[in-house]
Amino acid sequence: MKIIISPAKKMKREEVLPPEGLPVFTERAEQLMRHLKSLPYGALKELLQCNDSIAALNFERYQKMELHGQLSPAILSYEGIQYQYMSPHILDRQSLDYVQKHVRILSGFYGILKPFDGIVPYRLEMQAKLETLFCRNLYDFWQDSIYQELVREDKTILNLASVEYSKVVSRYCKADEHFITCTFGQWQDGTVKEKGVYVKMARGEMVRFLAERNITKPEGAKAFDRLGYRYQESLSDTTHYVFVATGKGTK
């Protein structure tokens, strides 16, 4: 089983643990890097759809970027809510080995990452309107290469990524591949509603739950019971696991 997750916008360099090799698509990331380095500040800001301080930070990052030095493990480099709740810094060695084997981070810049691949801080969302001489957008740039790399070793995928990222895999899946999406929501007006920040929290907790229990089959995810969530069999099927939070988990 492979578990796919989204990256986070906010990043840092982290030297607590060393990286273990380079991302599989480093050469392709270098092609993107060269283009992003060539953009003037205003064009980069428009592409990233961010404020001046974030644009300035990332303009400087791209101007100085080098993909083979000052690297840190991907799993420790992202700072978003999902990663805070995943808490990779407190996982024991066995759990870290689990995430290295089973978790894959989807990335607009790097394509696909193993948790201990060495990366540098960047900002480039998969849905960014990047139009160049070599691609219409990032979905066109990556096409099915992320999917092919993901299913090369395993045809069972537990999807904890957002739609913007997961569709670089799901749109190519074949009948003999098992693609299961997890939904985390709360009851509202008789239906299950997803709320962004709580979904990110739950996805991070789910990764940590799976790692701490060394769960290697998707059915094991049904036991997830953190943040007040419970698996809802009546709302789920073989390709969609629904978890609903009540009480404290909704606050």
Side-chain angles (χ1 to χ4, degrees):
M1 176 179 73
K2 289 292 185 290
I3 303 156
I4 57 173
I5 61 176
S6 303
K9 295 178 185 177
K10 189 176 180 181
M11 297 186 69
K12 62 179 179 179
R13 279 202 173 93
E14 178 59 78
E15 299 179 354
V16 174
L17 294 172
E20 299 175 8
L22 293 172
V24 64
F25 294 129
T26 294
E27 289 186 6
R28 299 193 65 186
E30 287 178 335
Q31 184 180 9
L32 290 174
M33 179 189 71
R34 288 192 295 271
H35 175 77
L36 294 164
K37 276 188 176 185
S38 74
L39 295 179
Y41 172 81
L44 183 67
K45 181 184 176 184
E46 183 178 357
L47 174 67
L48 301 183
Q49 294 289 294
C50 61
N51 61 35
D52 282 321
S53 64
I54 293 173
L57 170 64
N58 286 280
F59 181 78
E60 183 178 7
R61 280 175 171 170
Y62 282 122
Q63 292 304 306
K64 298 179 178 179
M65 187 173 285
E66 205 283 311
L67 301 186
H68 295 267
Q70 294 186 299
L71 308 178
S72 58
I75 197 75
L76 303 178
S77 300
Y78 295 106
E79 293 190 281
I81 293 171
Q82 175 183 227
Y83 291 84
Q84 293 171 24
Y85 278 77
M86 192 189 309
S87 302
H89 290 87
I90 67 172
L91 293 178
D92 61 22
R93 185 68 252 178
Q94 183 176 348
S95 296
L96 290 174
D97 289 343
Y98 174 95
V99 297
Q100 176 70 356
K101 181 177 180 180
H102 294 281
V103 174
R104 295 294 179 266
I105 303 166
L106 307 183
S107 165
F109 185 70
Y110 281 105
I112 187 169
L113 295 163
K114 294 179 181 179
F116 280 87
D117 283 350
I119 67 171
V120 297
Y122 68 92
R123 188 181 180 99
L124 187 66
E125 296 181 70
M126 188 67 77
Q127 65 268 37
K129 296 178 181 179
L130 180 71
E131 186 172 357
T132 74
L133 293 174
F134 53 82
C135 67
R136 298 189 306 274
N137 52 49
L138 286 169
Y139 296 107
D140 178 49
F141 179 77
W142 291 111
Q143 295 190 22
D144 70 344
S145 57
I146 295 172
Y147 156 78
Q148 293 288 356
E149 178 64 22
L150 182 66
V151 301
R152 185 169 56 84
E153 295 179 340
D154 204 314
K155 295 184 183 296
T156 298
I157 302 157
L158 188 68
N159 174 30
L160 298 178
S162 64
V163 173
E164 291 81 4
Y165 285 92
S166 64
K167 68 182 182 181
V168 302
V169 175
S170 61
R171 63 172 57 176
Y172 299 108
C173 281
K174 298 178 174 59
D176 64 336
E177 293 158 353
H178 198 186
F179 187 88
I180 306 150
T181 296
C182 292
T183 291
F184 302 94
Q186 293 84 32
W187 285 111
Q188 183 177 320
D189 300 326
T191 60
V192 177
K193 300 288 187 180
E194 292 184 279
K195 298 181 180 180
V197 65
Y198 300 126
V199 172
K200 293 176 182 178
M201 291 161 57
R203 286 169 175 163
E205 285 279 359
M206 174 64 90
V207 172
R208 186 152 57 91
F209 173 86
L210 297 170
E212 290 174 346
R213 286 158 178 75
N214 192 33
I215 292 172
T216 58
K217 295 184 179 180
E219 292 79 11
K222 296 177 182 180
F224 179 70
D225 59 357
R226 297 182 178 178
L227 302 178
Y229 286 95
R230 295 294 185 276
Y231 173 73
Q232 303 294 310
E233 185 172 3
S234 63
L235 303 176
S236 305
D237 57 36
T238 57
T239 63
H240 189 195
Y241 292 174
V242 179
F243 299 84
V244 177
T246 58
K248 293 180 180 179
T250 64
K251 297 180 181 179

